[in-house]
Amino acid sequence: MQRKISVIGTGYVGLTTGVCLAYLGHKVICVDKDKNKIQRLQKGIVPIYEPGLDEILKKHRKNLEFTTNTKDAVQKSEVIFIAVGTPSQKDGDIDMTYFRQAIREIAKILDSYKIIVNKSTVPVGTGEWTKKEIKKHYKGGFSIVSNPEFLREGSAIKDFLEPDRIVIGVEDEKAKEIMLDIFSSIKAPKIITDIKSAEMIKYAANAFLATKISFINEIANLCEKAGADVKKVAEGIGLDKRIGPKFLNAGIGYGGSCFPKDVDGLNKIAEQKKYNFHLLKAVSLVNKNQQKKFLHKIKNTLKKIDGKTVCIWGLAFKPNTDDVRKSPAIEIIKGLQRSDYKIQVYDPVATENAKKELPKKNIKFCKTSFEAAKNADVLALVTEWPEFSELNMKKVKKLMRHSYFLDGRNQLEPEEMKKLGFYYEGIGRK
Ligand code: NAD
């Protein structure tokens, strides 16, 4: 059945949710406070880089509305999804300002039964807080649902429409039935649970994936010392079905808007519950050290050859996105800028976002991989964009002043690179 839905917050998650719900046949109003974003969307311009989003938005435009008017959207809808940002504070705690604002706004508008579905990643207990807060302003009936989102930027549409599972934390039958109806055409296991468990599932999932990454990075560091090859080790353990091959790529650590903040967030949740989560603290520490180690590797190589110019390939926190939030590239570049090196950077789509994050000092944003490599002493591959595997490396080598190639993502083959005459170093490889 076609449902009338509002999505509050039209960022990576909100826009994907809105567009995919329209694709599923629902009438969706996407709301954002950012006027510029909404104006662009009204003109059909997608403000983020997400493969496939553009096409599906155009195709299902008749089911979609974009507005800054929360009141109008909420009053026209029976289900309200919340997808506002919940960033980290300086101390790692979760900043709930946007979420609380959104709930207070909605609470003051409510005039009939609605289901308020939370997609933002929020501390366990937020559902309870939400209920109390709404009751302060509205005396009628409403339901609260926790429906955490597991999509990955770069494959958001597929992840939303073909998820491994849909988690629905719910307290009453009516809301449960409507939620199941909304997602009825998605063939995936639906986990029905209480709200607190649903909130915890999201943190536990991200913390587990981050743990896998930090674990393989520690193995890589040990491989470097022991003379083993982490790629083979990962293959050897990943084929064990109890382990699985995913998230076993050693590199310079995880970044992005979710893993660092959710690991820190869960650590804070544990701290507030007076539980010492030893393992998760180590996961975060290992990740930070992995980035620092790579920065030192670049600086030491430059010192060794008296080099001044570094080429950085990749700015996004991972391929297929323009998102540079908590991208290892940004931290590494800032570290190099503090040491006065000349930095030449290239990314296929994330340059404009990176410009907003990086100081202007000693940095040149290049239009091609080749331009960035020209006259470089050291080339550091930071984001594994597929196009880097297709490049003419002979040409790259010719363009560089010194041919030191530091592969932070183990994207290229050491033997092939060495044959071409590069001094090549991956992470945890022989
Ligand atoms: P985002 O920053 O891209 O988007 C949030 C949007 O909400 C912004 O456009 C902002 O202007 C808008 N907003 C804030 N307050 C508002 C209000 N009161 N009314 C209307 N609009 C408002 O954030 P995101 O990456 O989409 O993440 C949203 C949530 O989903 C976070 O909790 C995040 O942890 C979680 N999440 C993100 C991802 C991801 O890959 N980005 C994946 C799963 C879950």
Side-chain angles (χ1 to χ4, degrees), residues 301 305 376-379 396-398 400-406 417 420-425:
T301 311
I305 57 173
D377 297 298
V378 171
L379 192 159
V396 172
K397 183 169 179 296
K398 260 197 195 145
M400 291 177 72
R401 188 166 22 225
H402 288 103
S403 38
Y404 282 78
F405 198 112
L406 303 179
M417 293 299 279
L420 288 171
F422 282 99
Y423 171 88
Y424 173 93
E425 235 184 276

Side-chain angles (χ1 to χ4, degrees), residues 8-14 31-34 37 83-86 98 102 105 119-121 149 151 153 202 257-258 261 325:
I8 312 293
T10 310
Y12 283 89
V13 168
V31 185
D32 207 287
K33 287 195 301 197
D34 184 336
K37 194 179 266 188
V84 299
T86 49
Y98 302 115
E105 265 176 85
K119 271 215 165 291
S120 297
T121 305
E149 184 50 60
L151 65 77
E153 290 172 22
K202 175 63 194 174
S257 68
C258 289
K261 118 177 142 60
R325 290 179 284 182

Side-chain angles (χ1 to χ4, degrees), residues 6 67 91 98 104 119 215 287 307 327 343 363 369:
S6 284
T67 181
D91 64 354
Y98 302 115
R104 286 183 183 126
K119 271 215 165 291
F215 178 82
N287 196 58
S327 170
I343 305 147
I363 189 160
S369 321

Side-chain angles (χ1 to χ4, degrees), residues 61-80:
R61 188 68 183 83
K62 67 171 192 332
N63 280 347
L64 279 161
E65 215 181 288
F66 296 100
T67 181
T68 53
N69 189 338
T70 311
K71 186 173 181 187
D72 186 49
V74 167
Q75 288 181 342
K76 280 185 187 158
S77 309
E78 58 173 334
V79 184
I80 300 141

Side-chain angles (χ1 to χ4, degrees), residues 292-309:
K292 278 190 202 149
K293 245 183 106 206
F294 192 65
L295 176 62
H296 287 148
K297 214 182 234 183
I298 300 173
K299 283 185 178 174
N300 288 342
T301 311
L302 284 162
K303 257 188 218 142
K304 198 166 69 185
I305 57 173
D306 199 22
K308 298 274 177 289
T309 307

